[in-house]
Amino acid sequence: MVLDINNVSKKYNKEKFGLSNYSLSISNGILGLLGPNGAGKSTLMKIIATISQPSSGTLTLDGQDIVKNPNYIRKVLGYLPQDFGVYPNLNAYEFLEYIAAMKGVGGANLRQRIDMLLEGVNLTEAAKLPIGTYSGGMKQRIGIAQALLNEPKVLIFDEPTVGLDPEERVRFRNLVSELAENCIIILSSHIVSDIETIADEVAIMKSGELITKGTQPEVIQTVAGKVFETVIGGNEVSEFKTRHLVVNSIRQKDKTRLRYISNNPTEGSTPCNASLEDAYLFLTKSNAS
Amino acid sequence: MILFKSIIKGDYLQRTRSYAFLVTLAISLYLAYTFLPAADANYSTVKIGNYVGENNATWIGYVTAIMTSIFLSLIGFYLVNNSIKKDIETEVGMIIATTQISNFKYLLSKMLSNFLVLLTITGIVFAMGIILFFVRSNGADFNIVQFVLPYLLTTLPAIFFIAAFAIVSEVFLGRWLALHYMSFFFLFGIITANILPGGGSTLKMILDPFGVKVVTMGMESFVQQHFDAKATVSSIGFNFSAKKELKTFVFNGMPWPALYIVSRLIWVALSVALVFIASLFFNRFDAKAVIKVKKKKKNLTENLPAGNLLQDIKIAALPAISTDYGILPFIKTELLMLFRKGPKWFWVLNIGGMIALLFTTLNIAHQFVLPALWFLQVGRLSDLTTKEKTNRIHYFTYASYKPIERLLPSQIIAGIILMAGLALPLMVRYLAGGEFMPVIYLLAGAIFIVLLAAALGILTGGKKLFEILFFAITYTNLNSIPFADYFGALNNSSAYLSLMLLMISGLIITGFTIRKYEIRHL
């Protein structure tokens, strides 16, 4: 499957753009979406999920216009929004049956599929309890299960690892990697390491625009040779930050170890291997974009 | 003090900056317009025997003020009765609970915010009153004192009392929506029963929190002295009978008894005192209940086995599923949610109502038991189409396959099944007696009220407007006024059925059109 986004803009008012002339082509695999708050990630995902319409531009899935015919993608869509909720009076089983009805799936195997998904998200024991009694992590797992109910071909995960502990995050990444063999997966996260470990391609957004898109090595290349480490006195940090883009700082007694990006490193700085996080911060925080 | 003012300001702005409030203002404006019937209108609002006043500033001021006192008290209570609940829902209450503000100051701030909301609506009615004066007074002088005085002495203390009562009843009955509503329903009935019969005494005048009795007594006294010794105030409200026979008189106001003015101040003081008493029982944003609920939740999930984590899901091992675009699973789940909504013991009332439908006379069952029984479902119906947003499920529902053709109809059908199911004993009785048309009227009523709930929920994004309207409609029905009879208790003609079908069509078009737009514009 190929999802083509062509010159899509979302205008909220005369001056405010959620997205501006955004173009992207996504095929099977994992696209990691990175960007600060307000970059337009959720807007883009809502448009792909057909719950928001672009002000201009086109979106096609395998050549079918999904703005004009949203049901084409809805049949194969799995969507895990950032701040979704649940019906508190339903139990997990009833809730998943309800979501299955929404997605237009059923048949003799539905019960078995729900059972297996509940087992997979480890909610079998809690399946008969009202979801209103669940913890945040349990609700997040129900969210993951619902996204997989309909054998999705396009999966949109908006901040999916919120509420999951470190071990669950690893399992979630494994799950997404397995799904990516036959699916388009768009994964948005503030946590660069979530994207770093699994994304085939990365798209970095800022102020509604696509700054860059490419494989991880291609994106990291934008800061190659510009990342350094140095140790300075604690009282010099503020002044240092005005001259360089500091991406990390570690306090060590009266000294501070800084990792920074610069074209003009200070004397005594040590060059470092650039990471995706360096590239992300460089592209979104500096004027490089 | 800063926090006190901030709560009033924040609460007031939060409530008045909503689309629902704008709709409420628009309806208030329309209602205010109807308070003073045009010369060719087929109804009257305030009349004394067969007399109504000529449209001078005094008559318009008095009529619009007392109509506002009564109608804004009735509707206003339902508009402002959830200010504490909002703070619990948004968890702002939990933050306020950690501040130094006392329970009394918090409740007082909420009460004053309620008052300001009602005052805003009164301002709209007042402005409409002035416009009506210039449109309908035929060049009479505008006597500002006579126009303002009834608002000042009658309406303002009345809405102050309502603002306080809303807080007090929310503290004691806030968790049980229907009981909360019913408590005011009865209080309102008692107060209006004190106002409506003609004549009166000083005690009745003082015991009237709406402050209307003194005005009706004054008007009666004027008409009795000058025109008709037997004339009494026979109606305050919308009276659709015998308008053509009414005579007019010039009303130039009445003396306001000192005792009355003192009583109005006492009502204001009593309102504050009631809030103070409530504050003694207010356990800080229902903190104990919240803790209890959290403990209960914890206990339920605490007993689960350890290692309660996301497991490895083998996608390839999941069984294949087939497509099913039917709506029966939706209807089933929507019905399940309707049944589970609210406390379980509430179903005892529902079953009691259904039994009453079987064993009271047909007339009583249709005209009184059924509207009361249906009104008990107000909490279930009002969130029929708003619960998706309230529970943040709309991300799923709006992105689902054909939501307009499948989900929305399912919600409406589930609502109709509930309402028709509750009316089933009555339908069976009619059918057993060989009467088919009343069953059609009952079904039309069930469809209408469910669609009204759905359309208003979609239109305003909230539950309030429907709840207020449903209450007003039910109140009107229980008072045997045919105007709002939507289930054929008093109306039984083909014209009535045609009107119902027209309104049902309008509601369907409104609800579906707006929801169709909404699902693509999150």
Side-chain angles (χ1 to χ4, degrees):
Chain A
M1 286 199 141
V2 179
L3 178 67
D4 280 312
I5 302 166
N6 299 308
N7 295 317
V8 165
S9 291
K10 178 74 184 180
K11 204 173 181 182
Y12 291 117
N13 54 45
K14 276 185 183 175
E15 290 162 8
K16 196 180 172 193
F17 276 89
L19 281 179
S20 179
N21 274 329
Y22 197 98
S23 294
L24 197 65
S25 183
I26 313 166
S27 50
N28 282 3
I30 304 167
L31 173 75
L33 267 186
L34 284 172
N37 286 333
K41 303 188 297 294
S42 291
T43 304
L44 174 65
M45 283 186 279
K46 279 180 191 170
I47 288 173
I48 298 171
T50 72
I51 55 177
S52 182
Q53 275 190 315
S55 309
S56 61
T58 59
L59 280 96
T60 59
L61 181 67
D62 287 344
Q64 286 282 333
D65 188 334
I66 59 168
V67 177
K68 286 183 183 159
N69 180 16
N71 288 317
Y72 185 77
I73 189 170
R74 284 173 181 167
K75 281 194 274 192
V76 292
L77 181 69
Y79 180 35
L80 180 63
Q82 187 177 353
D83 56 348
F84 71 93
V86 290
Y87 283 139
N89 289 334
L90 295 182
N91 65 38
Y93 201 92
E94 292 160 346
F95 182 70
L96 289 180
E97 275 189 325
Y98 187 68
I99 298 280
M102 279 187 210
K103 290 170 183 259
V105 296
N109 290 335
L110 179 63
R111 272 179 174 270
Q112 197 191 347
R113 192 172 173 96
I114 291 176
D115 283 338
M116 288 177 75
L117 282 169
L118 285 173
E119 200 177 319
V121 296
N122 211 345
L123 289 173
T124 307
E125 298 286 334
K128 296 290 178 190
L129 298 177
I131 309 179
T133 64
Y134 284 15
S135 67
M138 291 165 88
K139 281 179 193 162
Q140 191 68 4
R141 279 182 269 143
I142 274 284
I144 293 168
Q146 67 77 29
L148 305 175
L149 265 173
N150 59 329
E151 295 173 350
K153 297 294 174 209
V154 179
L155 266 161
I156 302 170
F157 292 118
D158 196 355
E159 303 286 350
T161 54
V162 173
L164 301 182
D165 69 17
E167 192 183 339
E168 287 178 303
R169 277 197 175 135
V170 173
R171 290 207 166 108
F172 179 75
R173 286 180 209 148
N174 294 341
L175 170 68
V176 172
S177 298
E178 189 187 339
L179 285 164
E181 288 169 22
N182 299 307
C183 273
I184 292 172
I185 297 180
I186 302 164
L187 176 71
S188 140
S189 180
H190 282 99
I191 302 162
V192 179
S193 61
D194 278 348
I195 304 270
E196 200 167 33
T197 45
I198 50 170
D200 300 307
E201 285 193 302
V202 176
I204 296 179
M205 297 175 67
K206 185 182 174 185
S207 307
E209 291 180 1
L210 177 67
I211 297 174
T212 189
K213 184 210 166 199
T215 61
Q216 292 196 44
E218 286 168 353
V219 174
I220 291 169
Q221 191 58 35
T222 54
V223 283
K226 293 176 185 170
V227 185
F228 301 91
E229 267 191 10
T230 189
V231 178
I232 60 172
N235 54 355
E236 299 168 55
V237 174
S238 297
E239 194 271 332
F240 189 90
K241 281 182 175 173
T242 62
R243 289 184 289 120
H244 304 286
L245 176 64
V246 175
V247 293
N248 196 15
S249 64
I250 302 165
R251 283 175 62 92
Q252 298 170 330
K253 288 188 180 172
D254 55 342
K255 298 279 184 190
T256 303
R257 176 178 291 276
L258 298 175
R259 182 184 175 93
Y260 69 100
I261 301 169
S262 178
N263 288 320
N264 304 303
T266 56
E267 205 172 316
S269 295
T270 316
C272 300
N273 286 332
S275 66
L276 183 62
E277 188 160 17
D278 295 327
Y280 165 65
L281 290 170
F282 176 69
L283 290 166
T284 56
K285 296 229 189 259
S286 73
N287 295 325
S289 55
Chain B
M1 196 62 184
I2 292 171
L3 185 61
F4 180 70
K5 283 182 188 168
S6 301
I7 293 174
I8 297 172
K9 187 182 166 190
D11 199 62
Y12 174 75
L13 291 178
Q14 191 265 334
R15 285 198 272 180
T16 52
R17 280 180 181 168
S18 66
Y19 182 60
F21 187 73
L22 269 183
V23 175
T24 309
L25 283 186
I27 291 172
S28 306
L29 211 55
Y30 175 73
L31 268 180
Y33 175 77
T34 63
F35 285 169
L36 195 75
D40 57 347
N42 63 345
Y43 68 95
S44 63
T45 50
V46 177
K47 62 172 187 168
I48 303 101
N50 279 328
Y51 288 87
V52 292
E54 280 184 10
N55 287 334
N56 59 16
T58 310
W59 178 255
I60 294 173
Y62 276 61
V63 167
T64 55
I66 63 172
M67 289 292 282
T68 307
S69 287
I70 292 177
F71 281 90
L72 191 54
S73 296
L74 175 63
I75 291 167
F77 172 81
Y78 294 97
L79 187 69
V80 298
N81 69 355
N82 66 344
S83 60
I84 301 171
K85 194 179 170 195
K86 267 274 177 234
D87 277 355
I88 294 170
E89 280 172 358
T90 57
E91 299 188 358
V92 168
M94 302 302 271
I95 297 168
I96 294 173
T98 62
T99 65
Q100 289 181 330
I101 194 164
S102 66
N103 281 356
F104 175 60
K105 271 191 177 175
Y106 170 73
L107 293 184
L108 192 65
S109 68
K110 287 284 164 186
M111 187 208 81
L112 291 174
S113 159
N114 284 350
F115 177 67
L116 287 178
V117 170
L118 299 179
L119 193 62
T120 306
I121 296 171
T122 305
I124 290 283
V125 176
F126 184 84
M128 179 52 93
I130 293 173
I131 293 168
L132 284 174
F133 168 79
F134 287 108
V135 172
R136 294 193 183 152
S137 66
N138 296 324
D141 289 336
F142 185 65
N143 186 337
I144 183 101
V145 175
Q146 289 297 339
F147 192 88
V148 170
L149 264 180
Y151 277 93
L152 209 59
L153 296 173
T154 304
T155 314
L156 295 195
I159 59 172
F160 196 85
F161 171 75
I162 293 300
F165 186 79
I167 292 294
V168 174
S169 68
E170 199 182 354
V171 168
F172 292 109
L173 298 169
R175 270 185 259 166
W176 302 287
L177 185 70
L179 276 185
H180 189 191
Y181 281 16
M182 294 306 256
S183 70
F184 183 72
F185 194 88
F186 285 115
L187 179 78
F188 188 82
I190 292 165
I191 294 170
T192 46
N194 174 47
I195 296 169
L196 264 186
S201 61
T202 307
L203 188 65
K204 278 191 168 185
M205 175 185 82
I206 293 169
L207 288 179
D208 169 22
F210 298 163
V212 170
K213 189 71 193 170
V214 72
V215 180
T216 61
M217 285 163 63
M219 287 175 171
E220 270 172 6
S221 165
F222 185 85
V223 173
Q224 284 168 1
Q225 277 176 25
H226 295 89
F227 306 103
D228 178 357
K230 290 178 182 172
T232 58
V233 172
S234 54
S235 93
I236 302 174
F238 296 94
N239 191 329
F240 288 85
S241 61
K243 173 76 192 342
K244 284 177 188 167
E245 296 167 14
L246 294 179
K247 298 169 188 167
T248 59
F249 69 99
V250 178
F251 183 62
N252 287 318
M254 49 171 262
W256 296 92
L259 191 60
Y260 172 76
I261 295 169
V262 172
S263 78
R264 301 311 283 154
L265 293 173
I266 290 173
W267 275 110
V268 170
L270 185 69
S271 302
V272 177
L274 282 172
V275 171
F276 176 75
I277 293 166
S279 73
L280 302 176
F281 296 89
F282 175 58
N283 46 17
R284 206 112 175 127
F285 312 100
D286 221 359
K288 280 180 188 170
V290 171
I291 291 165
K292 269 184 199 167
V293 170
K294 284 198 170 170
K295 274 186 181 170
K296 202 177 164 189
K297 283 181 183 176
K298 218 175 177 185
N299 287 342
L300 284 172
T301 50
E302 249 174 15
N303 298 329
L304 299 174
N308 190 22
L309 297 167
L310 182 66
Q311 301 294 295
D312 289 322
I313 304 172
K314 293 294 167 203
I315 296 298
L318 292 175
I321 31 97
S322 51
T323 52
D324 179 358
Y325 300 135
I327 64 167
L328 282 178
F330 278 133
I331 296 174
K332 181 190 137 195
T333 313
E334 289 290 341
L335 267 175
L336 204 63
M337 285 191 279
L338 283 173
F339 279 113
R340 285 183 187 165
K341 175 110 185 155
K344 282 177 189 164
W345 59 261
F346 221 80
W347 275 98
V348 176
L349 290 181
N350 283 344
I351 291 165
M354 290 172 81
I355 292 168
L357 285 180
L358 272 179
F359 294 106
T360 51
T361 63
L362 261 181
N363 187 37
I364 298 279
H366 197 153
Q367 202 176 327
F368 300 105
V369 180
L370 184 73
L373 178 61
W374 275 0
F375 182 70
L376 284 177
Q377 319 311 316
V378 61
R380 292 192 167 90
L381 292 190
S382 63
D383 76 350
L384 200 62
T385 53
T386 60
K387 63 180 182 298
E388 290 141 295
K389 276 197 174 170
T390 315
N391 293 298
R392 300 194 314 284
I393 295 284
H394 58 300
Y395 296 110
F396 301 135
T397 55
Y398 292 4
S400 66
Y401 183 70
K402 296 191 173 179
I404 293 297
E405 295 89 335
R406 298 167 68 237
L407 181 58
L408 186 54
S410 308
Q411 290 171 328
I412 292 165
I413 291 169
I416 293 168
I417 291 173
L418 172 75
M419 299 300 265
L422 289 167
L424 197 61
L426 189 56
M427 292 186 198
V428 169
R429 285 179 72 184
Y430 275 123
L431 287 175
E435 293 185 78
F436 186 67
M437 282 315 286
V439 177
I440 299 289
Y441 296 144
L442 288 171
L443 283 173
I447 294 167
F448 169 78
I449 205 69
V450 169
L451 281 169
L452 186 69
L456 290 182
I458 292 168
L459 182 69
T460 64
K463 305 189 285 186
K464 271 279 166 233
L465 188 59
F466 170 72
E467 288 174 355
I468 292 167
L469 266 180
F470 194 13
F471 175 80
I473 289 171
T474 306
Y475 185 82
T476 314
N477 280 310
L478 292 179
N479 282 288
S480 305
I481 299 169
F483 175 68
D485 170 30
Y486 64 97
F487 45 86
L490 302 167
N491 298 305
N492 46 19
S493 63
S494 56
Y496 157 76
L497 201 56
S498 306
L499 182 67
M500 288 300 294
L501 290 175
L502 196 69
M503 285 196 290
I504 286 170
S505 308
L507 290 170
I508 290 173
I509 292 166
T510 307
F512 278 73
T513 308
I514 298 172
R515 182 47 59 90
K516 192 175 179 185
Y517 176 84
E518 269 183 354
I519 61 166
R520 302 298 307 277
H521 294 86
L522 259 189

